[in-house]
Amino acid sequence: MPQQGPQPVERQLPTDEARLLLDLTRDLARREIAPSAAAEEEAGHFPRETMALIGRSGLLGLPYPEEFGGGGQPYEVYLQVLEELAAARLTVGLGVSVHTLACHAVAAFGSKQQRTDHLPAMLGGELLGAYCLSEPTSGSDAASLRTRAVRHGDSWTIDGTKAWITHGGVADFYTVLARSGGEGAHGISAFLVPGDAAGLSAGAPEHKMGMKGSPTAQLHFDGVEVADERRIGEEGQGFAIALAALDAGRLGIAACAIGVAQAALDAAADHMAQRRQFGRPIADFQGLRFMLADMATRVEAGRALYLTAARLRDAGREFSARAAMAKLFCTDTAMQVTTDAVQLLGGYGYTADFPVERYMREAKVLQIVEGTNQIQRMVIARHLVGPETRG
């Protein structure tokens, strides 16, 4: 007879070191993250101390080279760590994903000197990062961004506003995409901007339906001066840098979504085993059992899809379409599974005494961030039949 209650996810991991990392992550999530997650989310508390602990534990720079302070782990391992963190608290899992995204430009496109100067502190937990692409008038159409960078000798002056910035106002550094040339994608460059730069300020955090512990804010650049040595890559290469980062970042969102879905599935299964109606556990009723079976199948399918994309990335193969598929399917799965979990808990599911209502509110944003799911469908279709024709 199967053991009752939620069990750890059975994972296929490439090394014994990876297995130890997952054990460390589960222990940290169980002891340091999950117990206070509901209360801290309700209070809108950003877990900066937890992020520092994750850094000290070696989990904040897993997919980056060891020579610069990273973990030297393949993406398939990093994403499963991310999934475990998100299952304990999405603010933490998404926070690690966003920080990893913010480090990507320096790690993948920075000079050797830039990587030597900046990556050790970025990957070691001393600093927390944020990624600045979206603007009030350019979200899905990122190539139309208006924030401008003007060169003056060996420095740049940045002016403009960025919007929907996770960690906005609390980050120590920002990877910023700004227009350094003409219109369109080829006029954009990338910069590494210190969080305490003169002229940089954050608006009040957005009031959101979920993830209240994760600050999301506008950033205002008012004559922010940045040395040219903090420009990442070539002038005009910024949009290509952004797209490369987003391909990887979408896998992070997919893993976080499966973490939330797994947490909701576990909560629903546990409730069904304990809740009794008509003299027996509600887990005995076929209609509810079938709902739970469908939820579990979606979660496993989503996990397999994001891991397939991750393994393609690790092998140096094209993975953009699979990343879009994973982001699309996994976030839609999170929304469906959390909604079903609320239904299975009945009235209890609608109360804050149980976590599934929080999971449902949090799942919604994952269908929106780092490219809405409508954008993911456009990306997938382009890989299948080419770009849209313009009449």
Side-chain angles (χ1 to χ4, degrees):
M1 185 172 180
Q3 187 175 349
Q4 295 298 310
Q7 301 299 307
V9 174
E10 287 190 27
R11 300 190 181 278
Q12 295 182 0
L13 296 164
T15 63
D16 290 338
E17 182 185 9
R19 201 164 299 282
L20 290 173
L21 277 172
L22 265 294
D23 289 343
L24 169 67
T25 304
R26 284 182 179 133
D27 184 61
L28 189 150
R30 178 181 55 81
R31 290 186 296 103
E32 304 291 342
I33 301 175
S36 59
E40 290 193 358
E41 283 299 319
E42 183 64 25
H45 174 71
F46 177 63
R48 185 61 189 258
E49 310 85 356
T50 301
M51 299 299 290
L53 174 61
I54 289 171
R56 292 194 299 271
S57 301
L59 301 177
L60 203 53
L62 284 178
Y64 294 121
E66 291 179 280
E67 65 176 304
F68 298 113
Q73 292 295 314
Y75 238 66
E76 70 165 307
V77 173
Y78 156 66
L79 292 177
Q80 292 183 81
V81 167
L82 206 58
E83 182 191 328
E84 293 281 351
L85 294 173
R89 185 179 177 189
L90 182 57
T91 285
V92 174
L94 191 71
V96 174
S97 180
V98 167
H99 175 82
T100 303
L101 180 69
C103 295
H104 181 273
V106 173
F109 295 90
S111 66
K112 180 66 178 291
Q113 190 64 51
Q114 286 175 327
R115 285 179 281 168
T116 300
D117 289 347
H118 300 297
L119 278 181
M122 292 163 68
L123 303 180
E126 298 173 37
L127 305 177
L128 183 68
Y131 185 76
C132 302
L133 177 61
S134 294
E135 298 183 359
T137 58
S138 64
S140 296
D141 183 15
S144 68
L145 64 83
R146 309 310 305 165
T147 295
R148 179 159 291 280
V150 177
R151 186 163 188 164
H152 306 281
D154 291 333
S155 66
W156 297 79
T157 300
I158 302 177
D159 290 279
T161 298
K162 293 293 181 179
W164 309 111
I165 306 304
T166 302
H167 301 161
V170 301
D172 300 299
F173 69 90
Y174 298 93
T175 297
V176 179
L177 285 302
R179 187 162 301 286
S180 59
E183 297 299 311
H186 298 293
I188 296 169
S189 296
F191 301 88
L192 184 65
V193 179
D196 60 357
L200 175 61
S201 61
E206 305 288 349
H207 296 285
K208 300 174 297 185
M209 68 185 287
M211 290 196 68
K212 297 177 182 178
S214 176
T216 304
Q218 287 194 352
L219 284 180
H220 306 292
F221 295 79
D222 185 10
V224 175
E225 187 171 331
V226 180
D228 187 54
E229 64 188 29
R230 282 180 168 265
R231 174 177 46 82
I232 307 166
E234 302 297 328
E235 287 186 44
Q237 193 183 7
F239 196 68
I241 291 173
L243 291 183
L246 286 175
D247 278 342
R250 284 165 181 162
L251 293 182
I253 299 301
C256 285
I258 293 303
V260 173
Q262 183 69 55
L265 172 63
D266 289 345
D270 186 58
H271 179 81
M272 286 177 63
Q274 297 183 47
R275 174 72 168 164
R276 298 181 67 86
Q277 290 287 278
F278 305 102
R280 53 181 174 156
I282 64 172
D284 282 353
F285 294 97
Q286 188 180 73
L288 304 187
R289 294 171 73 89
F290 282 8
M291 283 182 67
L292 201 66
D294 287 344
M295 293 160 68
T297 301
R298 289 189 180 100
V299 170
E300 288 294 342
R303 183 176 292 120
L305 184 54
Y306 87 63
L307 285 174
T308 295
R311 288 165 184 147
L312 287 173
R313 185 187 190 278
D314 291 334
R317 296 171 59 187
E318 169 60 39
F319 72 100
S320 179
R322 293 291 180 88
M325 290 176 186
K327 198 275 183 183
L328 168 64
F329 184 84
C330 292
T331 59
D332 280 354
T333 288
M335 194 71 249
Q336 182 65 59
V337 168
T338 56
T339 300
D340 287 347
V342 171
Q343 187 70 25
L344 285 171
L345 267 71
Y348 294 110
Y350 200 66
T351 71
D353 295 326
F354 291 79
V356 291
E357 62 84 28
R358 172 165 60 88
Y359 299 151
M360 181 179 170
R361 288 185 287 107
E362 291 175 342
K364 184 62 213 175
V365 76
L366 298 175
Q367 295 177 302
I368 299 170
V369 297
E370 293 195 30
T372 67
N373 283 4
Q374 287 70 32
I375 291 294
Q376 306 313 313
R377 289 177 170 90
M378 291 174 63
V379 171
I380 296 163
R382 284 172 186 164
H383 280 270
L384 294 172
V385 293
E388 302 89 336
T389 58
R390 308 218 179 252

